mmCIF file of all heavy atoms in Angstrom:
data_model
loop_
_atom_site.group_PDB
_atom_site.id
_atom_site.type_symbol
_atom_site.label_atom_id
_atom_site.label_comp_id
_atom_site.label_asym_id
_atom_site.label_seq_id
_atom_site.Cartn_x
_atom_site.Cartn_y
_atom_site.Cartn_z
ATOM 1 N N TYR Y 33 130.582 116.838 90.756
ATOM 2 C CA TYR Y 33 129.457 117.726 91.023
ATOM 3 C C TYR Y 33 129.681 118.490 92.320
ATOM 4 O O TYR Y 33 130.345 118.013 93.229
ATOM 5 C CB TYR Y 33 128.159 116.912 91.178
ATOM 6 C CG TYR Y 33 127.933 115.860 90.121
ATOM 7 C CD1 TYR Y 33 128.512 114.599 90.243
ATOM 8 C CD2 TYR Y 33 127.124 116.110 89.017
ATOM 9 C CE1 TYR Y 33 128.307 113.616 89.286
ATOM 10 C CE2 TYR Y 33 126.906 115.123 88.048
ATOM 11 C CZ TYR Y 33 127.506 113.888 88.196
ATOM 12 O OH TYR Y 33 127.300 112.921 87.240
ATOM 13 N N TYR Y 35 127.022 120.437 95.107
ATOM 14 C CA TYR Y 35 125.684 120.749 95.570
ATOM 15 C C TYR Y 35 125.811 121.574 96.839
ATOM 16 O O TYR Y 35 126.849 121.567 97.495
ATOM 17 C CB TYR Y 35 124.902 119.462 95.906
ATOM 18 C CG TYR Y 35 124.583 118.577 94.723
ATOM 19 C CD1 TYR Y 35 125.541 117.705 94.198
ATOM 20 C CD2 TYR Y 35 123.321 118.598 94.138
ATOM 21 C CE1 TYR Y 35 125.244 116.884 93.117
ATOM 22 C CE2 TYR Y 35 123.003 117.774 93.056
ATOM 23 C CZ TYR Y 35 123.972 116.926 92.557
ATOM 24 O OH TYR Y 35 123.668 116.110 91.491
ATOM 25 N N GLN Y 37 123.432 122.826 100.512
ATOM 26 C CA GLN Y 37 122.227 122.643 101.308
ATOM 27 C C GLN Y 37 122.214 123.714 102.392
ATOM 28 O O GLN Y 37 123.021 123.668 103.327
ATOM 29 C CB GLN Y 37 122.183 121.242 101.922
ATOM 30 C CG GLN Y 37 120.878 120.921 102.644
ATOM 31 C CD GLN Y 37 120.855 119.486 103.145
ATOM 32 O OE1 GLN Y 37 121.881 118.916 103.507
ATOM 33 N NE2 GLN Y 37 119.672 118.883 103.170
ATOM 34 N N LYS Y 42 116.386 121.821 101.120
ATOM 35 C CA LYS Y 42 116.765 120.626 100.357
ATOM 36 C C LYS Y 42 118.129 120.801 99.698
ATOM 37 O O LYS Y 42 118.663 121.904 99.602
ATOM 38 C CB LYS Y 42 115.700 120.306 99.314
ATOM 39 C CG LYS Y 42 115.531 121.328 98.223
ATOM 40 C CD LYS Y 42 114.460 120.862 97.247
ATOM 41 C CE LYS Y 42 114.250 121.844 96.128
ATOM 42 N NZ LYS Y 42 113.219 121.373 95.171
ATOM 43 N N VAL Y 43 118.684 119.705 99.280
ATOM 44 C CA VAL Y 43 119.952 119.702 98.568
ATOM 45 C C VAL Y 43 119.730 120.281 97.169
ATOM 46 O O VAL Y 43 118.827 119.850 96.453
ATOM 47 C CB VAL Y 43 120.509 118.264 98.465
ATOM 48 C CG1 VAL Y 43 121.799 118.245 97.658
ATOM 49 C CG2 VAL Y 43 120.745 117.681 99.858
ATOM 50 N N PHE Y 45 121.447 121.510 93.393
ATOM 51 C CA PHE Y 45 122.538 121.353 92.425
ATOM 52 C C PHE Y 45 123.187 122.702 92.118
ATOM 53 O O PHE Y 45 122.503 123.709 91.938
ATOM 54 C CB PHE Y 45 121.973 120.736 91.151
ATOM 55 C CG PHE Y 45 122.894 120.766 89.975
ATOM 56 C CD1 PHE Y 45 123.985 119.906 89.906
ATOM 57 C CD2 PHE Y 45 122.684 121.654 88.933
ATOM 58 C CE1 PHE Y 45 124.830 119.919 88.814
ATOM 59 C CE2 PHE Y 45 123.527 121.680 87.835
ATOM 60 C CZ PHE Y 45 124.598 120.816 87.782
ATOM 61 N N SER Y 48 127.942 120.671 87.391
ATOM 62 C CA SER Y 48 128.529 119.378 87.058
ATOM 63 C C SER Y 48 129.717 119.602 86.120
ATOM 64 O O SER Y 48 129.762 120.588 85.374
ATOM 65 C CB SER Y 48 127.500 118.446 86.425
ATOM 66 O OG SER Y 48 126.922 119.034 85.276
ATOM 67 N N SER Y 55 129.616 120.852 82.579
ATOM 68 C CA SER Y 55 128.555 120.236 81.788
ATOM 69 C C SER Y 55 127.253 121.008 81.928
ATOM 70 O O SER Y 55 126.519 121.190 80.958
ATOM 71 C CB SER Y 55 128.319 118.797 82.251
ATOM 72 O OG SER Y 55 129.499 118.048 82.187
ATOM 73 N N GLU Y 56 126.976 121.412 83.155
ATOM 74 C CA GLU Y 56 125.760 122.159 83.414
ATOM 75 C C GLU Y 56 125.934 122.947 84.700
ATOM 76 O O GLU Y 56 126.679 122.527 85.580
ATOM 77 C CB GLU Y 56 124.553 121.227 83.535
ATOM 78 C CG GLU Y 56 123.237 121.960 83.725
ATOM 79 C CD GLU Y 56 122.028 121.111 83.398
ATOM 80 O OE1 GLU Y 56 122.196 119.987 82.900
ATOM 81 O OE2 GLU Y 56 120.906 121.596 83.627
ATOM 82 N N MET Y 89 125.913 124.126 103.763
ATOM 83 C CA MET Y 89 126.766 122.947 103.601
ATOM 84 C C MET Y 89 126.999 122.760 102.112
ATOM 85 O O MET Y 89 126.050 122.810 101.327
ATOM 86 C CB MET Y 89 126.082 121.704 104.170
ATOM 87 C CG MET Y 89 126.129 121.602 105.670
ATOM 88 S SD MET Y 89 127.762 121.182 106.298
ATOM 89 C CE MET Y 89 127.827 119.438 105.924
ATOM 90 N N PHE Y 91 128.414 120.151 99.300
ATOM 91 C CA PHE Y 91 128.742 118.748 99.081
ATOM 92 C C PHE Y 91 129.337 118.551 97.703
ATOM 93 O O PHE Y 91 128.810 119.051 96.705
ATOM 94 C CB PHE Y 91 127.489 117.874 99.193
ATOM 95 C CG PHE Y 91 126.837 117.893 100.549
ATOM 96 C CD1 PHE Y 91 125.599 118.488 100.725
ATOM 97 C CD2 PHE Y 91 127.462 117.304 101.636
ATOM 98 C CE1 PHE Y 91 124.994 118.502 101.971
ATOM 99 C CE2 PHE Y 91 126.864 117.320 102.895
ATOM 100 C CZ PHE Y 91 125.634 117.927 103.054
ATOM 101 N N ILE Y 98 127.500 109.176 83.494
ATOM 102 C CA ILE Y 98 126.679 110.384 83.643
ATOM 103 C C ILE Y 98 125.396 110.140 84.405
ATOM 104 O O ILE Y 98 124.966 110.983 85.171
ATOM 105 C CB ILE Y 98 126.396 111.030 82.267
ATOM 106 C CG1 ILE Y 98 125.756 112.405 82.436
ATOM 107 C CG2 ILE Y 98 125.525 110.122 81.413
ATOM 108 C CD1 ILE Y 98 125.682 113.205 81.175
ATOM 109 N N THR Y 99 124.732 109.006 84.248
ATOM 110 C CA THR Y 99 123.488 108.765 84.986
ATOM 111 C C THR Y 99 123.677 107.701 86.052
ATOM 112 O O THR Y 99 122.729 107.134 86.557
ATOM 113 C CB THR Y 99 122.363 108.330 84.033
ATOM 114 O OG1 THR Y 99 122.809 107.202 83.278
ATOM 115 C CG2 THR Y 99 121.969 109.459 83.105
ATOM 116 N N ASP Y 100 124.922 107.445 86.376
ATOM 117 C CA ASP Y 100 125.247 106.454 87.389
ATOM 118 C C ASP Y 100 125.029 107.048 88.782
ATOM 119 O O ASP Y 100 124.799 108.251 88.926
ATOM 120 C CB ASP Y 100 126.699 106.030 87.224
ATOM 121 C CG ASP Y 100 126.910 104.579 87.596
ATOM 122 O OD1 ASP Y 100 125.974 103.958 88.115
ATOM 123 O OD2 ASP Y 100 128.019 104.066 87.368
ATOM 124 N N THR Y 101 125.125 106.212 89.783
ATOM 125 C CA THR Y 101 124.960 106.670 91.154
ATOM 126 C C THR Y 101 126.006 107.724 91.495
ATOM 127 O O THR Y 101 127.191 107.557 91.203
ATOM 128 C CB THR Y 101 125.097 105.485 92.120
ATOM 129 O OG1 THR Y 101 124.081 104.540 91.836
ATOM 130 C CG2 THR Y 101 124.985 105.951 93.569
ATOM 131 N N GLN Y 102 125.554 108.809 92.112
ATOM 132 C CA GLN Y 102 126.466 109.839 92.587
ATOM 133 C C GLN Y 102 126.766 109.568 94.062
ATOM 134 O O GLN Y 102 125.845 109.395 94.866
ATOM 135 C CB GLN Y 102 125.848 111.230 92.420
ATOM 136 C CG GLN Y 102 125.678 111.628 90.963
ATOM 137 C CD GLN Y 102 125.138 113.035 90.807
ATOM 138 O OE1 GLN Y 102 125.290 113.883 91.688
ATOM 139 N NE2 GLN Y 102 124.508 113.295 89.678
ATOM 140 N N TYR Y 103 128.047 109.556 94.393
ATOM 141 C CA TYR Y 103 128.484 109.345 95.767
ATOM 142 C C TYR Y 103 128.941 110.686 96.332
ATOM 143 O O TYR Y 103 129.725 111.394 95.695
ATOM 144 C CB TYR Y 103 129.611 108.316 95.819
ATOM 145 C CG TYR Y 103 129.139 106.936 95.431
ATOM 146 C CD1 TYR Y 103 129.182 106.517 94.104
ATOM 147 C CD2 TYR Y 103 128.617 106.068 96.384
ATOM 148 C CE1 TYR Y 103 128.717 105.261 93.732
ATOM 149 C CE2 TYR Y 103 128.146 104.806 96.017
ATOM 150 C CZ TYR Y 103 128.195 104.424 94.694
ATOM 151 O OH TYR Y 103 127.727 103.182 94.330
ATOM 152 N N PHE Y 104 128.446 110.980 97.515
ATOM 153 C CA PHE Y 104 128.663 112.281 98.112
ATOM 154 C C PHE Y 104 129.746 112.256 99.187
ATOM 155 O O PHE Y 104 129.929 111.259 99.887
ATOM 156 C CB PHE Y 104 127.364 112.791 98.754
ATOM 157 C CG PHE Y 104 126.353 113.270 97.750
ATOM 158 C CD1 PHE Y 104 125.643 112.373 96.971
ATOM 159 C CD2 PHE Y 104 126.143 114.622 97.568
ATOM 160 C CE1 PHE Y 104 124.719 112.820 96.026
ATOM 161 C CE2 PHE Y 104 125.216 115.082 96.635
ATOM 162 C CZ PHE Y 104 124.509 114.177 95.859
ATOM 163 N N GLY Y 105 130.428 113.382 99.311
ATOM 164 C CA GLY Y 105 131.375 113.565 100.390
ATOM 165 C C GLY Y 105 130.671 114.003 101.667
ATOM 166 O O GLY Y 105 129.457 114.232 101.659
ATOM 167 N N PRO Y 106 131.427 114.165 102.740
ATOM 168 C CA PRO Y 106 130.839 114.529 104.033
ATOM 169 C C PRO Y 106 130.424 115.983 104.135
ATOM 170 O O PRO Y 106 129.694 116.353 105.058
ATOM 171 C CB PRO Y 106 131.959 114.215 105.029
ATOM 172 C CG PRO Y 106 133.205 114.364 104.225
ATOM 173 C CD PRO Y 106 132.866 113.904 102.844
ATOM 174 N N GLY Y 107 130.893 116.809 103.195
ATOM 175 C CA GLY Y 107 130.476 118.205 103.183
ATOM 176 C C GLY Y 107 131.445 119.154 103.858
ATOM 177 O O GLY Y 107 132.262 118.758 104.700
ATOM 178 N N ARG Y 109 131.007 122.785 105.843
ATOM 179 C CA ARG Y 109 130.070 123.796 106.358
ATOM 180 C C ARG Y 109 130.710 125.161 106.211
ATOM 181 O O ARG Y 109 131.749 125.432 106.823
ATOM 182 C CB ARG Y 109 129.732 123.537 107.821
ATOM 183 C CG ARG Y 109 128.773 124.572 108.396
ATOM 184 C CD ARG Y 109 128.378 124.257 109.829
ATOM 185 N NE ARG Y 109 127.729 122.965 109.950
ATOM 186 C CZ ARG Y 109 126.471 122.721 109.647
ATOM 187 N NH1 ARG Y 109 125.692 123.713 109.207
ATOM 188 N NH2 ARG Y 109 125.964 121.516 109.801
ATOM 189 N N ARG Q 31 115.555 108.412 84.233
ATOM 190 C CA ARG Q 31 116.853 107.746 84.061
ATOM 191 C C ARG Q 31 117.361 107.192 85.382
ATOM 192 O O ARG Q 31 118.567 107.127 85.611
ATOM 193 C CB ARG Q 31 117.876 108.725 83.514
ATOM 194 C CG ARG Q 31 117.545 109.256 82.141
ATOM 195 C CD ARG Q 31 118.671 110.140 81.671
ATOM 196 N NE ARG Q 31 118.421 110.715 80.368
ATOM 197 C CZ ARG Q 31 119.353 111.248 79.615
ATOM 198 N NH1 ARG Q 31 120.588 111.283 80.024
ATOM 199 N NH2 ARG Q 31 119.046 111.756 78.446
ATOM 200 N N PHE Q 34 116.937 107.630 92.887
ATOM 201 C CA PHE Q 34 117.947 107.343 93.899
ATOM 202 C C PHE Q 34 117.403 107.645 95.285
ATOM 203 O O PHE Q 34 116.780 108.681 95.504
ATOM 204 C CB PHE Q 34 119.198 108.191 93.649
ATOM 205 C CG PHE Q 34 119.813 107.981 92.294
ATOM 206 C CD1 PHE Q 34 119.377 108.696 91.195
ATOM 207 C CD2 PHE Q 34 120.826 107.048 92.125
ATOM 208 C CE1 PHE Q 34 119.928 108.499 89.946
ATOM 209 C CE2 PHE Q 34 121.382 106.844 90.870
ATOM 210 C CZ PHE Q 34 120.943 107.562 89.783
ATOM 211 N N TYR Q 36 118.687 108.167 99.231
ATOM 212 C CA TYR Q 36 119.841 108.427 100.089
ATOM 213 C C TYR Q 36 119.350 108.569 101.529
ATOM 214 O O TYR Q 36 118.223 108.970 101.785
ATOM 215 C CB TYR Q 36 120.549 109.732 99.702
ATOM 216 C CG TYR Q 36 121.269 109.713 98.381
ATOM 217 C CD1 TYR Q 36 120.611 110.021 97.195
ATOM 218 C CD2 TYR Q 36 122.631 109.410 98.319
ATOM 219 C CE1 TYR Q 36 121.269 110.022 95.986
ATOM 220 C CE2 TYR Q 36 123.310 109.414 97.102
ATOM 221 C CZ TYR Q 36 122.618 109.727 95.947
ATOM 222 O OH TYR Q 36 123.291 109.727 94.745
ATOM 223 N N GLN Q 38 120.454 110.674 105.037
ATOM 224 C CA GLN Q 38 121.288 111.770 105.501
ATOM 225 C C GLN Q 38 121.136 111.931 107.002
ATOM 226 O O GLN Q 38 120.035 112.162 107.506
ATOM 227 C CB GLN Q 38 120.936 113.084 104.790
ATOM 228 C CG GLN Q 38 121.892 114.217 105.142
ATOM 229 C CD GLN Q 38 121.609 115.498 104.399
ATOM 230 O OE1 GLN Q 38 120.470 115.818 104.073
ATOM 231 N NE2 GLN Q 38 122.662 116.253 104.115
ATOM 232 N N GLY Q 41 124.116 117.009 109.717
ATOM 233 C CA GLY Q 41 125.462 117.524 109.508
ATOM 234 C C GLY Q 41 126.350 116.664 108.636
ATOM 235 O O GLY Q 41 127.559 116.905 108.555
ATOM 236 N N LYS Q 42 125.771 115.658 107.972
ATOM 237 C CA LYS Q 42 126.551 114.735 107.144
ATOM 238 C C LYS Q 42 126.107 114.804 105.690
ATOM 239 O O LYS Q 42 125.061 115.380 105.370
ATOM 240 C CB LYS Q 42 126.376 113.293 107.640
ATOM 241 C CG LYS Q 42 126.667 113.097 109.115
ATOM 242 C CD LYS Q 42 128.127 113.233 109.444
ATOM 243 C CE LYS Q 42 128.398 112.891 110.903
ATOM 244 N NZ LYS Q 42 129.817 113.097 111.247
ATOM 245 N N GLY Q 43 126.888 114.179 104.827
ATOM 246 C CA GLY Q 43 126.523 114.112 103.425
ATOM 247 C C GLY Q 43 125.544 112.985 103.148
ATOM 248 O O GLY Q 43 125.445 112.035 103.930
ATOM 249 N N PRO Q 44 124.789 113.080 102.059
ATOM 250 C CA PRO Q 44 123.872 111.991 101.692
ATOM 251 C C PRO Q 44 124.632 110.681 101.477
ATOM 252 O O PRO Q 44 125.644 110.656 100.782
ATOM 253 C CB PRO Q 44 123.244 112.488 100.391
ATOM 254 C CG PRO Q 44 123.378 113.977 100.443
ATOM 255 C CD PRO Q 44 124.676 114.221 101.131
ATOM 256 N N PHE Q 46 124.391 106.928 99.980
ATOM 257 C CA PHE Q 46 123.633 106.181 98.983
ATOM 258 C C PHE Q 46 123.000 104.925 99.563
ATOM 259 O O PHE Q 46 123.634 104.177 100.306
ATOM 260 C CB PHE Q 46 124.548 105.800 97.817
ATOM 261 C CG PHE Q 46 123.931 104.843 96.851
ATOM 262 C CD1 PHE Q 46 122.886 105.242 96.035
ATOM 263 C CD2 PHE Q 46 124.375 103.538 96.772
ATOM 264 C CE1 PHE Q 46 122.295 104.357 95.155
ATOM 265 C CE2 PHE Q 46 123.798 102.642 95.898
ATOM 266 C CZ PHE Q 46 122.759 103.054 95.082
ATOM 267 N N THR Q 49 119.410 102.489 93.951
ATOM 268 C CA THR Q 49 119.067 103.036 92.649
ATOM 269 C C THR Q 49 118.021 102.125 92.017
ATOM 270 O O THR Q 49 118.190 100.902 92.007
ATOM 271 C CB THR Q 49 120.277 103.105 91.714
ATOM 272 O OG1 THR Q 49 121.320 103.837 92.340
ATOM 273 C CG2 THR Q 49 119.889 103.785 90.412
ATOM 274 N N TYR Q 51 115.719 101.692 88.374
ATOM 275 C CA TYR Q 51 115.719 102.185 86.997
ATOM 276 C C TYR Q 51 114.412 101.960 86.252
ATOM 277 O O TYR Q 51 114.132 102.674 85.292
ATOM 278 C CB TYR Q 51 116.865 101.560 86.201
ATOM 279 C CG TYR Q 51 118.220 102.133 86.537
ATOM 280 C CD1 TYR Q 51 119.132 101.401 87.292
ATOM 281 C CD2 TYR Q 51 118.587 103.398 86.116
ATOM 282 C CE1 TYR Q 51 120.374 101.928 87.600
ATOM 283 C CE2 TYR Q 51 119.823 103.937 86.420
ATOM 284 C CZ TYR Q 51 120.717 103.195 87.171
ATOM 285 O OH TYR Q 51 121.952 103.722 87.477
ATOM 286 N N LEU Q 87 116.256 110.867 101.652
ATOM 287 C CA LEU Q 87 116.148 111.735 100.490
ATOM 288 C C LEU Q 87 115.913 110.915 99.235
ATOM 289 O O LEU Q 87 116.513 109.858 99.054
ATOM 290 C CB LEU Q 87 117.435 112.546 100.307
ATOM 291 C CG LEU Q 87 117.918 113.392 101.487
ATOM 292 C CD1 LEU Q 87 119.265 114.035 101.152
ATOM 293 C CD2 LEU Q 87 116.895 114.457 101.832
ATOM 294 N N PRO Q 91 117.534 112.203 88.215
ATOM 295 C CA PRO Q 91 118.342 113.030 87.311
ATOM 296 C C PRO Q 91 117.454 113.971 86.509
ATOM 297 O O PRO Q 91 116.302 113.638 86.209
ATOM 298 C CB PRO Q 91 119.015 112.011 86.387
ATOM 299 C CG PRO Q 91 118.846 110.695 87.051
ATOM 300 C CD PRO Q 91 117.591 110.793 87.846
ATOM 301 N N ASN Q 92 117.989 115.143 86.140
ATOM 302 C CA ASN Q 92 117.266 115.998 85.222
ATOM 303 C C ASN Q 92 117.275 115.367 83.825
ATOM 304 O O ASN Q 92 117.873 114.306 83.619
ATOM 305 C CB ASN Q 92 117.847 117.407 85.201
ATOM 306 C CG ASN Q 92 119.294 117.444 84.714
ATOM 307 O OD1 ASN Q 92 119.877 116.404 84.397
ATOM 308 N ND2 ASN Q 92 119.869 118.613 84.654
ATOM 309 N N ALA Q 94 118.744 116.002 81.111
ATOM 310 C CA ALA Q 94 120.061 115.825 80.494
ATOM 311 C C ALA Q 94 120.907 114.811 81.250
ATOM 312 O O ALA Q 94 121.960 114.376 80.757
ATOM 313 C CB ALA Q 94 120.792 117.165 80.444
ATOM 314 N N GLY Q 95 120.462 114.459 82.446
ATOM 315 C CA GLY Q 95 121.222 113.516 83.263
ATOM 316 C C GLY Q 95 122.444 114.123 83.914
ATOM 317 O O GLY Q 95 123.293 113.412 84.444
ATOM 318 N N THR Q 96 122.551 115.452 83.910
ATOM 319 C CA THR Q 96 123.755 116.123 84.400
ATOM 320 C C THR Q 96 123.629 116.616 85.825
ATOM 321 O O THR Q 96 124.583 117.189 86.359
ATOM 322 C CB THR Q 96 124.088 117.327 83.500
ATOM 323 O OG1 THR Q 96 122.900 118.098 83.309
ATOM 324 C CG2 THR Q 96 124.609 116.868 82.149
ATOM 325 N N ALA Q 97 122.467 116.419 86.435
ATOM 326 C CA ALA Q 97 122.263 116.899 87.802
ATOM 327 C C ALA Q 97 121.192 116.061 88.466
ATOM 328 O O ALA Q 97 120.314 115.514 87.799
ATOM 329 C CB ALA Q 97 121.837 118.360 87.804
ATOM 330 N N LEU Q 98 121.264 115.953 89.783
ATOM 331 C CA LEU Q 98 120.195 115.311 90.544
ATOM 332 C C LEU Q 98 119.255 116.376 91.086
ATOM 333 O O LEU Q 98 119.702 117.425 91.576
ATOM 334 C CB LEU Q 98 120.764 114.508 91.709
ATOM 335 C CG LEU Q 98 121.441 113.176 91.376
ATOM 336 C CD1 LEU Q 98 121.946 112.520 92.654
ATOM 337 C CD2 LEU Q 98 120.486 112.251 90.641
ATOM 338 N N ILE Q 99 117.957 116.088 91.008
ATOM 339 C CA ILE Q 99 116.933 116.926 91.603
ATOM 340 C C ILE Q 99 116.452 116.208 92.853
ATOM 341 O O ILE Q 99 115.962 115.071 92.768
ATOM 342 C CB ILE Q 99 115.752 117.140 90.647
ATOM 343 C CG1 ILE Q 99 116.237 117.720 89.328
ATOM 344 C CG2 ILE Q 99 114.703 118.050 91.285
ATOM 345 C CD1 ILE Q 99 115.210 117.659 88.220
ATOM 346 N N PHE Q 100 116.605 116.860 93.997
ATOM 347 C CA PHE Q 100 116.259 116.244 95.270
ATOM 348 C C PHE Q 100 114.891 116.682 95.747
ATOM 349 O O PHE Q 100 114.459 117.820 95.517
ATOM 350 C CB PHE Q 100 117.279 116.623 96.347
ATOM 351 C CG PHE Q 100 118.544 115.825 96.302
ATOM 352 C CD1 PHE Q 100 119.582 116.186 95.456
ATOM 353 C CD2 PHE Q 100 118.697 114.703 97.103
ATOM 354 C CE1 PHE Q 100 120.753 115.441 95.417
ATOM 355 C CE2 PHE Q 100 119.851 113.957 97.076
ATOM 356 C CZ PHE Q 100 120.893 114.328 96.231
ATOM 357 N N GLY Q 101 114.223 115.793 96.465
ATOM 358 C CA GLY Q 101 113.070 116.176 97.245
ATOM 359 C C GLY Q 101 113.531 116.766 98.573
ATOM 360 O O GLY Q 101 114.723 116.776 98.887
ATOM 361 N N LYS Q 102 112.555 117.256 99.360
ATOM 362 C CA LYS Q 102 112.896 117.876 100.633
ATOM 363 C C LYS Q 102 113.227 116.848 101.710
ATOM 364 O O LYS Q 102 113.797 117.201 102.742
ATOM 365 C CB LYS Q 102 111.754 118.769 101.103
ATOM 366 C CG LYS Q 102 111.545 119.998 100.232
ATOM 367 C CD LYS Q 102 110.425 120.881 100.766
ATOM 368 C CE LYS Q 102 110.258 122.126 99.906
ATOM 369 N NZ LYS Q 102 109.156 122.988 100.392
#
Side-chain angles (χ1 to χ4, degrees):
Chain Y
Y33 314 84
Y35 293 81
Q37 186 176 32
K42 65 179 180 179
V43 177
F45 168 74
S48 57
S55 304
E56 183 161 353
M89 282 287 284
F91 297 111
I98 190 169
T99 54
D100 213 352
T101 299
Q102 293 183 24
Y103 293 90
F104 285 74
R109 179 177 301 281
Chain Q
R31 297 184 181 197
F34 302 86
Y36 291 87
Q38 186 177 32
K42 307 290 186 183
F46 170 69
T49 305
Y51 285 106
L87 305 176
N92 62 359
T96 48
L98 285 180
I99 304 166
F100 280 84
K102 292 182 178 179

